[in-house]
Amino acid sequence: MLPGVKVGVKVQEFRVPGARLRYRQWGHSGPPVVLIHGLSGSWRWWRRNVGALSRAHRVYVLDLSGYGHTLAWRQRSLGVRADAALIVRWLEAQEMTHVTLIGHSMGGHIALHAAALAPERVDALVLACASGLLREHPVRAALHLPRAAVTGRISFLPVVLADAGRAGLPNLWRSASRLLRDSVQELLPGIRARTLVIWGARDALVPAALGRQLASAIPGAQYVELPRAGHVVMVDEPAPFNRAVLDFLAAEQPT
């Protein structure tokens, strides 16, 4: 059950040839906020955040192609650039503007590409332990997973494993290899969206030093580091994460 929000929210789909985007919506008023999960993730990774965010915003929680549901492994994961293009097409179909994209890990990487593709639609970004500057071979990156498991919230590990199983190894490998070959470095100086970069100080997969580097390269970006959080920062420290995001979003509202 999602604390503070109604259960049984309808799953909707946006389809294009060869791909589909599944999403759920909480809240019916306020500026739109879109939550994008990371590698092996799903909408479930945001369950500690949706309630707080949906009090003043329309919150859309995505399941990317190849992720998030029982038969996800039968779909093909797309890679960060194709995922970004699909999200932009969905925003266009929904006629959605003044959007905040909140992306975790691979989702933050995707959010940066989407913001660069559609600056007229994306007003703000929240990048949580985003992978855009990480440069490692997928096998070497996987060696950090045991440490990442013990530096995060242990009770969340069954969700991680279940969602990885739903996606399947081919989708995970495809996504990981594509994101690790793709750098957002050249995009960063041209990002026009207001940006909050938020990181876990104990992140064993994408070190906090990369978070500080990311924030310094985006004009005007804010940086917040949560000392007790690991890689899944919004799960490890949901209250301070939600507070930081809501303070950031409130600052962009008209007074």
Side-chain angles (χ1 to χ4, degrees), residues 15-16 25 56 66 70 101 115 120 136 147 164 201 212 219 243 246:
R15 297 192 183 200
V16 299
Q25 178 183 344
T70 304
L101 298 180
E120 74 285 357
E136 280 196 288
R147 181 165 170 252
R212 294 188 286 271
R243 187 163 53 249
L246 288 170

Side-chain angles (χ1 to χ4, degrees), residues 174-192:
R174 187 179 302 111
S175 293
S177 59
R178 288 180 179 179
L179 78 84
L180 290 170
R181 290 198 304 266
D182 183 88
S183 174
V184 298
Q185 187 74 60
E186 293 183 359
L187 295 179
L188 302 181
I191 294 294
R192 289 164 39 188

Side-chain angles (χ1 to χ4, degrees), residues 6-69:
K6 182 174 64 176
V7 297
V9 174
K10 180 182 178 183
V11 180
Q12 302 179 69
E13 285 192 351
F14 174 71
R15 297 192 183 200
V16 299
R20 69 178 68 178
L21 191 68
R22 294 163 64 98
Y23 62 98
R24 294 163 173 82
Q25 178 183 344
W26 280 270
H28 297 283
S29 62
V33 172
V34 178
L35 305 182
I36 311 170
H37 66 76
L39 182 69
S40 84
S42 76
W43 71 275
R44 285 172 284 271
W45 292 41
W46 302 102
R47 66 181 184 176
R48 293 173 174 85
N49 318 110
V50 169
L53 296 177
S54 62
R55 293 188 188 112
H57 299 84
R58 283 180 290 131
V59 178
Y60 300 86
V61 190
L62 307 185
D63 279 334
L64 299 171
S65 185
Y67 289 93
H69 58 96

Side-chain angles (χ1 to χ4, degrees), residues 61-226:
V61 190
L62 307 185
D63 279 334
L64 299 171
S65 185
Y67 289 93
H69 58 96
T70 304
L71 297 178
W73 59 272
R74 296 177 63 178
Q75 301 167 18
R76 185 179 178 87
S77 62
L78 303 181
V80 288
R81 293 186 182 233
D83 274 319
L86 180 59
I87 289 170
V88 168
R89 290 182 67 177
W90 171 68
L91 294 177
E92 292 170 349
Q94 298 291 317
E95 298 183 345
M96 209 181 294
T97 58
H98 303 295
V99 177
T100 296
L101 298 180
I102 302 181
H104 170 247
S105 193
M106 180 180 76
H109 195 148
I110 292 166
L112 279 163
H113 278 296
L117 287 171
E120 74 285 357
R121 295 187 182 275
V122 179
D123 283 2
L125 290 170
V126 178
L127 307 175
C129 303
S131 63
L133 299 179
L134 188 64
R135 311 298 291 169
E136 280 196 288
H137 188 277
V139 173
R140 287 197 298 272
L143 296 177
H144 301 301
L145 290 174
R147 181 165 170 252
V150 300
T151 55
R153 189 182 289 261
I154 298 296
S155 62
F156 189 65
L157 190 56
V159 177
V160 176
L161 295 175
D163 280 340
R166 289 185 178 96
L169 185 57
N171 277 341
L172 297 177
W173 178 264
R174 187 179 302 111
S175 293
S177 59
R178 288 180 179 179
L179 78 84
L180 290 170
R181 290 198 304 266
D182 183 88
S183 174
V184 298
Q185 187 74 60
E186 293 183 359
L187 295 179
L188 302 181
I191 294 294
R192 289 164 39 188
R194 291 180 63 252
T195 302
L196 170 66
V197 178
I198 184 164
W199 230 265
R202 304 175 67 197
D203 191 338
L205 290 180
V206 189
L210 288 180
R212 294 188 286 271
Q213 182 182 340
L214 186 70
S216 68
I218 299 173
Q222 303 174 39
Y223 181 75
V224 173
E225 193 169 301
L226 302 184

